[in-house]
Amino acid sequence: MIETSSRQRTLVLAICCMSLLIVSLDNTVLNVALPTMRGDLHASVAGMQWTIDAYTLVLASLLMLMGSTADRIGRRKVFVTGLVLFTAGSLLCSLAPGLEWLVFFRMVQAVGGAMLNPVAMSIITNTFTDPAQRARAIGVWGAVAGISMAAGPLVGGLLVDSVGWRSIFWVNLPIGLAALVLTLRHIPESRAARPRRPDPVGQLLVMALLGSVTYGIIEAPTAGPRSPLIVGCALVAVVSLVGLLLYEARREEPLIDLRFFRSAPFSGATVIAVSAFASMAGFLFLNTLYLQDVRGLDALHAGLYMLPMAAMTFAVAPLSGRLVGSRGPRLPLLIAGAAMGGSGLLFAAFGGETSTALLFTGYVLYGLGFGMVNAPVTNTAVSGMPRSQAGVAAAIASTSRQTGSTLGVAIVGAVLAAGLADGREFTGAAIPAWWIITVCGALVLVLGAATTSAWALGTADRAARALEEPVNPAAEAGVPRA
């Protein structure tokens, strides 16, 4: 277990939050730069989607592998490697000569990022063993996401308008280097008592599933939903999913331990994370393009317009953590679902973007909802699970977030591109996308209520007890298995 003195806990939390800041800030800074990058790189809407989704897709594909690897070979070792790769990838992104190179270097960044968030959460989980302290620490963790939302559009807009879009990647360099030095000095090595074996087949199936789904969604408006390419992507996705479920169920030490999902709160938190982050990514993508392409704002003023949303997220995230610690996850999840769904409905049904007052109301509502959702999702994912599997549990939660972000940009971008291709104005083409965001918020609300019931909490207790047992009791008796 990691040293748990008060000073050590504070340092560990600060370092982990620095890693979250650069990973989260990277996408929010990039969003406000998209219109400028599109013109400079002569890219399409799909090209802009790939600058975001290449990053989130690689993150989602590798998070579980990195979480289990860190539990096995050492969390500090993996965390340090991630900081080096992410910082170097950021520098390479700033030097990219074209769109294809930028997308590739974003993938390098993502490999490093995949080593940071789940490992940082595993370090926090093993440091803050008291449930109330852990919930408050996770609240601070959620507040950092709010800081990235607040600082990202402003810093990105200022840099884009004064220096150029390449400078947005320079922000990561001093933070990454400072986090690296502090990690080497203050975070001790830790690993799981019972390391898990690698699962390369499961990892390949996860990558095939996420990659085929994302590629098919992004390219469908151009290639056509019935084209051989898109049909092939659908077939690969189905085969990968079926193969993953069948193969992982037979593994003694699977990449994804399906017993996690016997817990209704854990399963609910996974789906809530996908829905919430799909909504958030789609929301930022739509608003960035709307403010600059339709309202004609420059990058800095677009960032200022989105400040009410970011400020609200920053303000309520610590409150969400305290609520989870004192009253449990139910209330924050209900507030999150109602606020995010209400914001989406304001744009979908009432033309919220057509009035500045309604626009800001929608931003404040959305910031309230998104600020509330992080702490209960993260806390539910790691609470009650054996600390020996903390990295895997945190990685599944992080994977859900990144999968949601990937799908949000892919689906919303595809819907918007299809509407624009039909000759509709931006506001009309965006209406179906706003309804998707509304449905995501409603799903958070419904699942938040369902997965915090007495029955759901009972399934969590039974799942936690099952996870303390070997996956394959027959193997303990000497019967071979996959």
Side-chain angles (χ1 to χ4, degrees), residues 182-413:
L182 290 172
T183 298
L184 292 172
R185 292 188 61 182
H186 297 293
I187 292 187
E189 186 61 276
S190 67
R191 54 177 57 87
R194 294 178 58 188
R196 299 164 63 83
R197 291 184 299 178
D199 182 7
V201 174
Q203 180 61 49
L204 289 173
L205 288 171
V206 168
M207 295 174 68
L209 172 61
L210 296 178
S212 58
V213 168
T214 304
Y215 189 88
I217 292 173
I218 290 178
E219 298 298 331
T222 303
R226 297 181 181 178
S227 67
L229 174 65
I230 305 305
V231 172
C233 286
L235 289 174
V236 171
V238 170
V239 171
S240 299
L241 177 59
V242 173
L244 188 66
L245 294 175
L246 294 177
Y247 181 78
E248 293 298 279
R250 297 184 67 252
R251 286 277 299 176
E252 183 179 344
E253 292 182 342
L255 177 70
I256 304 174
D257 194 331
L258 299 180
R259 295 178 300 171
F260 278 111
F261 297 96
R262 296 178 188 175
S263 165
F266 184 88
S267 298
T270 301
V271 179
I272 288 170
V274 172
S275 300
F277 277 75
S279 169
M280 182 272 295
F283 194 95
L284 289 179
F285 188 80
L286 282 178
N287 276 285
T288 297
L289 294 179
Y290 168 75
L291 291 172
Q292 296 187 55
D293 288 354
V294 179
R295 289 212 172 192
L297 300 177
D298 57 30
L300 175 59
H301 286 89
L304 289 171
Y305 258 67
M306 288 189 284
L307 182 59
M309 174 178 62
M312 182 59 71
T313 298
F314 173 65
V316 304
L319 172 61
S320 177
R322 288 194 293 271
L323 284 174
V324 172
S326 61
R327 301 183 57 178
R330 185 180 183 86
L331 181 59
L333 286 175
L334 295 181
I335 294 173
M340 294 169 73
S343 176
L345 185 64
L346 191 65
F347 289 98
F350 301 101
E353 70 273 26
T354 59
S355 162
T356 299
L358 286 177
L359 185 73
F360 286 158
T361 301
Y363 286 173
V364 169
L365 268 177
Y366 197 86
L368 169 64
F370 190 71
M372 280 287 173
V373 82
N374 262 306
V377 166
T378 303
N379 194 67
T380 301
V382 299
S383 294
M385 299 298 173
R387 284 206 298 271
S388 63
Q389 299 198 49
V392 179
I396 292 174
S398 296
T399 299
S400 302
R401 289 185 177 87
Q402 298 303 329
T403 300
S405 296
T406 302
L407 293 177
V409 173
I411 294 171
V412 166

Side-chain angles (χ1 to χ4, degrees), residues 25 28 145-155 303 306-307 309-311 313-314:
L25 188 67
T28 55
I147 293 173
S148 72
M149 288 186 68
L154 291 175
V155 173
M306 288 189 284
L307 182 59
M309 174 178 62
T313 298
F314 173 65

